């Protein structure tokens, strides 16, 4: 269940109304649409603003007293589901058909390495596993750095490519390439949700050699 579905019905309808009105909507319009009181609308708006999903926006000229208007933030728009998996899977299938599995795998590794390099700067005092877990967490992996049998590992509880990887297992090569570029260390894939594991678990290995200038 997505975050939108976890909200109450009134807040879902409020957010959908704002999605359909990108320039914003006033309290009066929301009252009419939702059939609730001004006070109830303001309470829902206050909660949604607190989450960072709604914001006040510029009032439209009306000839009278300016009325407060509200619109979705970029974070609010992200509440609405997007079917990336089906589209991505179709793209990979077509790429594999045209280019072959070997070339597609190379492209995934190249893409992962390029994106991972943009996350390689590690703050002083932060160990490799903690830094890498933080980068993955920002991407939605719900990742933690852990010690396991004397080794530093990353446990990711949310496979962001779950539906896609189930059909196209080579997608996991993107993860590995991203993590190696972001950490500068060899990454070993120890456990995989797609292959029946409880988590996606990655072990931090030896430091990779620096590329020659």
């Amino acid at each position: 269940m997505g975050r939108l579905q976890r909200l109450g019905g009134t807040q879902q309808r409020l957010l959908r109304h704002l999605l359909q009105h990108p320039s914003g909507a006033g309290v009066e319009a929301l009252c009419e649409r939702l059939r609730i009181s001004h006070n109830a609308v303001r309470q829902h708006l206050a909660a949604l603003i607190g989450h960072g999903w709604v914001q006040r926006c510029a009032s439209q000229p009306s000839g009278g007293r300016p009325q407060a208007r509200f619109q979705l933030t970029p974070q609010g728009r992200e509440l609405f589901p997007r079917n990336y998996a089906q589209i991505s899977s179709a793209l990979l299938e077509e790429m594999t058909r045209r280019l072959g599995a070997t070339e597609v795998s190379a492209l995934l590794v190249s893409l992962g390495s390029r994106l991972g390099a943009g996350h390689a700067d590690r703050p002083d005092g932060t160990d490799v596993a903690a830094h890498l877990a933080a980068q993955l967490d920002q991407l939605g992996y719900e990742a933690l750095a852990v010690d396991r049998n004397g080794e530093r590992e990353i446990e990711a509880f949310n496979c962001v490519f779950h539906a896609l990887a189930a059909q196209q297992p080579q997608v996991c090569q993107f993860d590995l390439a991203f993590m190696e570029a972001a950490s500068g260390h060899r990454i070993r894939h120890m456990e995989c949700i797609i292959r029946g594991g409880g988590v996606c678990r990655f072990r931090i290995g030896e430091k990779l050699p620096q590329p020659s200038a």
Side-chain angles (χ1 to χ4, degrees):
M1 180 184 295
R3 286 181 296 172
L4 183 65
Q5 285 70 37
R6 295 191 184 101
L7 300 176
T10 299
Q11 289 190 352
Q12 289 187 43
R13 293 196 301 275
L14 192 158
L15 290 167
R16 288 194 173 95
H17 184 77
L18 294 183
L19 181 69
Q20 295 165 7
H21 296 80
S23 61
V27 171
E28 191 68 39
L30 290 169
C31 288
E32 293 178 5
R33 174 68 175 176
L34 303 175
R35 299 185 182 277
I36 58 176
S37 68
H38 285 72
N39 188 49
V41 166
R42 293 188 184 280
Q43 287 179 356
H44 286 303
L45 285 170
L48 296 171
I49 289 171
H51 284 295
W53 298 331
V54 172
Q55 64 187 1
R56 291 187 65 144
C57 58
S59 302
Q60 292 183 341
S62 62
R65 182 179 177 181
Q67 299 294 317
R69 296 176 64 80
F70 302 86
Q71 64 184 177
L72 290 181
T73 64
Q75 294 85 352
R77 288 182 171 274
E78 289 300 316
L79 292 172
F80 292 87
R82 293 171 171 82
N83 194 359
Y84 294 128
Q86 184 176 355
I87 297 171
S88 299
S89 182
L91 283 171
L92 274 180
E93 286 178 5
E94 183 63 15
M95 289 169 61
T96 301
R97 187 181 69 81
R98 295 190 182 198
L99 302 176
T102 300
E103 183 64 23
V104 170
S105 293
L107 286 172
L108 288 168
V109 169
S110 177
L111 177 60
S113 296
R114 181 169 61 83
L115 294 179
H119 294 260
D121 292 334
R122 189 166 76 249
D124 293 340
T126 305
D127 72 12
V128 173
H131 168 73
L132 187 53
Q135 306 311 307
L136 291 173
D137 209 41
Q138 289 180 13
L139 297 176
Y141 285 80
E142 297 294 329
L144 296 173
V146 300
D147 289 308
R148 186 184 179 95
N149 299 325
E151 302 282 354
R152 289 292 274 165
E153 294 186 347
I154 305 294
E155 290 185 350
F157 298 88
N158 180 41
C159 175
V160 298
F161 297 118
H162 191 277
L164 180 59
Q167 300 176 25
Q168 306 283 346
Q170 68 266 37
V171 169
C172 294
Q173 296 176 32
F174 170 90
D175 291 341
L176 294 172
F178 176 92
M179 286 187 279
E180 289 189 346
S183 69
H185 285 251
R186 184 72 62 197
I187 302 296
R188 294 180 173 82
H189 200 173
M190 309 300 292
E191 187 175 351
C192 180
I193 293 174
I194 296 301
R195 298 179 180 88
V199 297
C200 282
R201 187 162 53 85
F202 305 93
R203 178 168 295 172
I204 310 295
E206 68 275 11
K207 192 169 184 179
L208 292 169
Q210 294 294 321
S212 56

